[in-house]
């Protein structure tokens, strides 16, 4: 027989921080404030009278007044208070929601409030269930019975202790006055419903997995950590920074430039596929399309990066460069990207191909960069590593961005693109048409199929063209 | 938009040991030097010199920290809402649930969009990773991981693979295939190995590299084909919960957020921590870059989301409300960067106006914690994953 622990020890033992608890406690204290809080009344439940009972309506009204939120939000917040166990329902004790009507609730005693420091232990739960069992056999609900049987197996070694504790508590309970006993029973029952919910319901206190490092301990910083911090602070101080007005101004400018392109802020033409179930918007914006939409073409003019990120834009730019006989810059940039993001094993071969094609004196697609960068790059290629082309790549990118890109925007190629661009009419579907659309959602093309097609095209282009299509070479080396 | 990290020397002979390696640009008493990470560690760990003690080092740290704050404050000449005064208000948004994806049997922990704008991958507590076509609600692939709590999943840029990991401390890549009957688990490739749970993973610009963050406090960059560790990033003093790659044209940095309340910006090439922000009151659950790459937002357990400006090196906005008490688990920006979608532990999603700082609307619908919120690649919708076992697509 192998001994297996239920939960393997992964070294994670600490509950995540629950910052909300402090704020919730502050709210609860305010709610019970004798002057500005809620006033409870007495309610008769079965045969006993329970003091300090409040209705759901009153709680929600108080929350609305205090937090100045909508009714929906106040109801959601009220439900969270019940789910966390700060307030418990009297009538349907298993359903932890706040109903905005005359349902009765009570405030939970602070002893039973959730805390960060300790968890509701299985042992305590076993004592509670045992106590209820002693009082009246068969009073446990089915899910509690399940828990009880489970705990009886796993805590069998402690069972004597548990029964003893339960008996003690039961005897102590008998000494109390009946109303106090009923109230305590209600409170305890509510606590355990929150912490050990029935099957197929969730506990709001569920936090996921434990964390590795204890968030509550005071960190003792050692001297080497101080040194590292000092090194970090020094470089952070020396790092050049920009004035807020400049950087924030740039953020605002970006938002203003793109606001008509944001599908949440401006309607996308012809229609948002998720809203109308018609995917024309996507089919109009794929890579291999003859006429582009006006919005797409406009977006290419926003920045060079936008133009390159859209494959269709990049293709258009390539054809412009071909006319200008300056395609080598973009080809080099693409090859350097492939090297940087490609697999580690292919670096040496790719670097050699790039050197032969772009950097060697007399190379077929020699790029024109300054002597210093060229020197450093060629020297680095002796022992090629991932970032060996960074300097040259940046130089070429900036060259294209500051010069070629603007010429492209003024070129007849781009102007023609703008003239031929489509401006699709916005869809205006009726209810019936929308219904039909939702039944006929198109499947589109699987990205794997698209990827395979692209690979084939690249291979064909590599064979057909000269000078050598570097991109195809790169991906071929990658796949080998 | 010139990212200053690429101007710095990042590879070459180290000033101390002369070996060619990725370099960190640091300063020793205001003199710039370039050390490799090993020499920097050696320098940090050398024994206390005469005249040095823990107290003197601590006072030096405190004074440097104060100086950094002063430097930052010098450039603080305007607030975000002042700059945004002339920007018109966002009109009321009518965002509704357009799709509900049901199929997971347990809490959905993470999701990611495919570049084709309609497919997504999601992972859950019971170890199941499902690839959906969100538009038609078809489940295209399903993999069962050998571990539970798959907290991280990512779709490859090509659309041909997914990466996922969690309590198994590893990140594995599964190549997808068009054949429905193929057993994807057979082709699984273990790439990343950490010493504790995997909290986040992301592909870089290609399928060949994977960036991961872990509960052991480190982030790491891996080569997918060989499983080799390319660079590791040390600096967090507690579990790292989230990471995000910069979208800038240079794409050399990423930001990570952890349980030590810090958000750190790293240079991927040298492993150096270039910027750090510590203004939250509790764990940072999620970090996400602004579309330009010059700023990022973070969502934290203290119920606030904050915007940090990288060029000015400071926090510029706090998105909070008295009525929002429960922690924010996830954030994402809309395409223009005007809207910030944040998912919270009180089962709601709040939409914030990034520039003005107010909340535009609150979305109800989920019946348990919202664990992940991501905007689709073309900005037409956003998806939310929740512990109520469903995913919702909103538009």
């Amino acid at each position: 027989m192998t001994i297996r622990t239920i939960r393997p020890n992964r070294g994670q033992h600490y509950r995540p921080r629950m910052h909300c608890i402090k704020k919730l406690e502050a709210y609860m204290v305010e709610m019970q404030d004798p002057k500005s809080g809620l006033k409870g009344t007495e309610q008769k439940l079965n045969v006993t009278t329970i003091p300090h009972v409040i209705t759901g309506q009153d709680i929600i009204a108080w929350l609305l007044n205090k937090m100045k939120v909508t009714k929906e939000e106040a109801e959601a917040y009220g439900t969270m208070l019940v789910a966390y166990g700060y307030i418990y329902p009297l009538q349907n004790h298993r359903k932890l929601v706040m109903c905005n009507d005359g349902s009765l609730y009570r405030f939970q005693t602070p002893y039973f409030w959730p805390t960060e420091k300790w968890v509701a232990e299985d042992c305590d739960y076993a004592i509670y269930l045992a106590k209820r069992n002693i009082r009246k056999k068969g009073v446990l609900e089915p899910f509690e019975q399940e828990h009880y049987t489970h705990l009886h197996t796993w805590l069998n070694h402690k069972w004597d202790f548990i029964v003893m504790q339960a008996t003690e508590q039961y005897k102590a309970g008998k000494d109390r006055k009946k109303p106090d006993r009923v109230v305590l029973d209600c409170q305890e029952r509510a606590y355990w419903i929150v912490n050990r919910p029935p099957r197929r319901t969730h506990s709001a206190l569920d936090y996921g997995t434990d964390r590795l490092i204890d968030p509550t301990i005071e960190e003792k910083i050692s001297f080497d950590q101080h040194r590292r911090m000092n090194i970090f602070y020094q470089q952070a101080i020396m790092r050049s920074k920009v004035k807020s007005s400049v950087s924030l101004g740039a953020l605002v400018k970006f938002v203003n430039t793109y606001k008509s392109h944001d599908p949440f802020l401006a309607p996308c033409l012809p229609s948002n596929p998720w809203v109308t179930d018609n995917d024309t918007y996507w089919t109009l914006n794929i890579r291999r399309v003859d006429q582009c939409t006006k919005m797409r073409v406009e977006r290419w003019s926003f920045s060079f990066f936008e133009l390159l990120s859209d494959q269709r834009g990049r293709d258009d730019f390539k054809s412009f460069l071909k006319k200008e006989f300056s395609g080598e810059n973009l080809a080099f940039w693409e090859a350097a990207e492939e090297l940087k993001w490609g697999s580690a094993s292919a670096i040496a071969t790719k670097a050699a191909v790039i050197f032969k094609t772009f950097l060697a004196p007399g190379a077929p697609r020699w790029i024109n960069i300054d002597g210093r960068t060229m020197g450093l790059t060629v020297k680095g290629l002796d022992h090629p590593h991932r970032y060996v082309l960074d300097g040259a790549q940046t130089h070429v990118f900036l060259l294209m961005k500051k010069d070629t890109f603007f010429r492209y925007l003024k070129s007849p190629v781009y102007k023609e693109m703008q003239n031929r661009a489509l401006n699709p009419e916005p869809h205006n579907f009726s209810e019936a048409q929308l219904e039909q659309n939702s039944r006929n959602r198109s499947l589109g093309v699987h990205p794997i199929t698209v990827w395979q097609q692209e690979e084939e095209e690249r291979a064909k282009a590599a064979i057909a063209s000269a000078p050598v299509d570097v991109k195809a070479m790169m991906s071929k080396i990658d796949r080998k | 938009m010139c990212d200053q990290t690429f101007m710095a020397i990042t590879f070459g002979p180290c000033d101390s040991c002369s070996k060619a390696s990725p370099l960190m640009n640091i300063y020793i008493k205001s003199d710039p030097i370039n050390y490799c990470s090993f020499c920097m560690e050696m320098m940090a760990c050398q024994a206390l010199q005469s005249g040095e003690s823990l107290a003197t080092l601590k006072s030096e740290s405190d004074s440097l920290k104060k100086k950094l704050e002063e430097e930052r404050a010098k450039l603080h000449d305007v607030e975000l809402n002042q700059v945004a005064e002339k920007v018109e208000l966002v009109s009321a948004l009518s965002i509704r649930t357009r799709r509900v994806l049901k199929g997971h049997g347990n809490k959905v922990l993470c999701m990611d969009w495919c570049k084709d704008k309609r497919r997504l991958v999601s992972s859950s507590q019971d170890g199941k990773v499902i690839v959906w076509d969100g538009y038609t609600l078809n489940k295209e692939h399903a993999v069962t991981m050998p571990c539970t709590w798959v907290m991280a999943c990512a779709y490859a840029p090509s659309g041909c693979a997914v990466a996922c990991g969690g309590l198994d401390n590893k990140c594995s890549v599964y190549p997808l295939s068009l054949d429905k009957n193929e057993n994807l688990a057979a082709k699984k490739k273990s790439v990343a190995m950490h010493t504790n749970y995997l909290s986040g993973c992301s592909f870089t610009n290609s399928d060949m590299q994977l960036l991961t963050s872990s509960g052991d406090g480190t982030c790491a960059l891996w080569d997918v084909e060989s499983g080799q560790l390319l660079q590791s990033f040390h600096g967090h003093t507690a579990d790292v919960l989230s990471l995000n790659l910069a979208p800038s044209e240079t794409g050399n940095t990423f930001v990570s957020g952890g349980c030590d309340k810090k958000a750190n910006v790293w240079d991927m090439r040298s492993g150096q921590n270039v910027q750090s922000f510590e203004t939250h009151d509790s764990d940072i659950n999620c970090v996400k870059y602004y579309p330009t790459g010059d700023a990022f937002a973070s969502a934290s357990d203290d119920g606030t989301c904050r915007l940090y400006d990288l060029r000015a090196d400071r926090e510029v906005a706090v998105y909070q409300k008295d009525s929002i008490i429960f922690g924010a688990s996830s954030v994402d920006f809309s395409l223009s960067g005007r809207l910030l979608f944040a998912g919270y532990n009180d089962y709601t999603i709040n939409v914030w106006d990034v520039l003005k700082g107010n909340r535009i609307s609150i979305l109800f619908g989920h019946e348990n914690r919202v664990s992940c919120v991501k905007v689709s690649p073309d900005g037409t919708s956003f998806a939310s994953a929740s512990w109520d076992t469903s995913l919702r697509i909103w538009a």
Side-chain angles (χ1 to χ4, degrees), chain A residues 106-219:
Chain A
R106 286 194 86 239
F107 291 117
Q108 179 66 284
T109 172
Y111 180 73
F112 283 134
W113 283 358
T115 68
E116 238 179 272
K117 293 276 160 63
W118 42 272
V119 202
E121 293 280 357
D122 277 338
C123 198
D124 293 329
Y125 190 45
I127 294 172
Y128 164 71
L129 289 176
K131 186 169 62 171
R132 287 197 39 208
N133 233 358
I134 293 173
R135 198 164 67 198
K136 188 171 151 190
K137 272 237 183 297
V139 75
L140 292 179
E141 305 195 29
F143 75 92
E144 288 175 326
Q145 192 61 49
E146 262 186 65
H147 278 163
Y148 185 74
T149 335
H150 176 91
L151 288 167
H152 190 81
T153 323
W154 288 107
L155 292 176
N156 212 323
H157 55 285
K158 280 198 197 173
W159 207 254
D160 292 334
F161 166 72
I162 288 172
V163 171
M164 183 184 77
Q165 282 287 310
T167 331
E168 285 290 317
Q169 289 188 12
Y170 175 63
K171 282 196 203 135
K174 272 179 117 175
D175 291 336
R176 289 199 195 93
K177 289 207 282 266
K178 180 112 198 276
D180 290 339
R181 199 168 52 209
V182 170
V183 165
L184 186 60
D185 280 346
C186 280
Q187 289 173 340
E188 217 181 0
R189 184 180 63 178
Y191 176 74
W192 287 113
I193 295 278
V194 169
N195 284 286
R196 293 284 184 275
R199 258 173 161 267
R200 269 179 274 282
T201 59
H202 65 259
S203 164
L205 294 173
D206 196 356
Y207 56 79
T209 50
D210 289 316
R211 302 252 197 263
L212 180 63
I213 293 159
D214 188 356
T216 52
I217 47 163
E218 261 306 308
E219 238 186 287

Side-chain angles (χ1 to χ4, degrees), chain B residues 232-305:
Chain B
S232 67
F233 305 91
H234 298 263
H236 278 287
T237 50
D239 307 31
V240 182
L241 294 180
S242 157
L243 61 84
N244 189 233
L245 270 161
S248 69
E249 42 211 40
T250 48
N252 282 324
T253 58
F254 73 94
V255 62
S256 67
C259 290
D260 54 355
K261 312 181 199 168
K262 286 206 219 133
N264 290 343
V265 179
W266 308 85
D267 179 342
M268 277 208 291
R269 298 164 298 182
S270 59
Q272 187 181 12
N273 175 7
V274 289
Q275 284 174 291
S276 178
F277 303 91
E278 194 174 350
T279 58
H280 272 291
D281 296 323
S282 188
D283 309 352
I284 296 181
N285 288 322
C286 180
V287 283
K288 209 48 85 69
Y289 267 99
Y290 192 79
T292 58
D294 289 329
F296 71 92
S298 61
S300 161
D301 186 50
D302 63 7
T304 64
C305 298

Side-chain angles (χ1 to χ4, degrees), chain B residues 186-205:
Chain B
K187 289 219 197 117
K188 162 177 145 174
K189 198 184 179 94
S190 264
V191 173
M193 296 277 198
H194 277 281
T195 52
N196 216 287
Y197 67 88
L198 195 88
S199 54
C201 72
S202 168
F203 281 93
T204 60
N205 285 5

Side-chain angles (χ1 to χ4, degrees), chain B residues 149-153 163-172 192-194 196-201 211-216 222 240-241:
Chain B
W149 287 94
V150 187
M151 292 180 263
C153 63
C164 45
L167 281 186
D168 57 348
N169 302 358
K170 295 195 273 206
C171 189
S172 320
M193 296 277 198
H194 277 281
N196 216 287
Y197 67 88
L198 195 88
S199 54
C201 72
L211 193 58
T212 58
S213 67
S214 163
D216 62 12
W222 308 84
V240 182
L241 294 180

Side-chain angles (χ1 to χ4, degrees), chain A residues 51-66:
Chain A
H52 305 303
V53 173
I54 20 173
T55 59
Q57 274 160 231
D58 292 337
I59 298 177
I60 301 220
W62 188 90
L63 287 173
L64 275 172
N65 189 20
K66 172 84 188 155

Side-chain angles (χ1 to χ4, degrees), chain B residues 11 37 44 92 129 151-152 157 167 235 245 255 258 265 270 309 321 323 365 384:
Chain B
F11 197 94
S37 51
V129 175
M151 292 180 263
L167 281 186
L245 270 161
V255 62
V265 179
S270 59
D309 184 342
K321 233 174 175 271
S323 56
S384 60

Side-chain angles (χ1 to χ4, degrees), chain B residues 98-138:
Chain B
R98 304 290 172 176
R99 302 280 193 277
V100 181
L101 292 111
K102 288 200 228 261
H104 279 290
N106 223 309
K107 306 182 172 88
V108 186
L109 303 173
C110 184
M111 51 94 27
D112 192 20
W113 286 94
C114 174
K115 290 247 162 37
D116 76 343
K117 311 153 199 168
R118 48 191 283 171
R119 281 176 175 76
L120 40 92
V121 62
S122 60
S123 63
S124 78
Q125 181 193 352
D126 55 6
K128 286 231 170 28
V129 175
I130 301 181
V131 177
W132 317 72
D133 178 352
Y135 189 64
T136 55
L137 296 180
N138 289 343

Side-chain angles (χ1 to χ4, degrees), chain A residues 379-410:
Chain A
K379 189 154 165 263
L381 281 168
D382 281 339
H383 301 281
H385 59 91
R386 195 169 288 273
Y387 306 110
V388 69
L389 297 173
D390 248 14
Q393 186 185 4
T394 314
H395 185 107
V396 161
F397 186 81
L398 285 175
L399 197 71
M400 287 195 288
K401 180 170 154 173
K402 296 200 168 127
D403 178 49
T404 333
F405 177 56
F406 289 108
R407 279 192 287 123
Y408 167 72
L409 290 180
K410 295 198 197 96

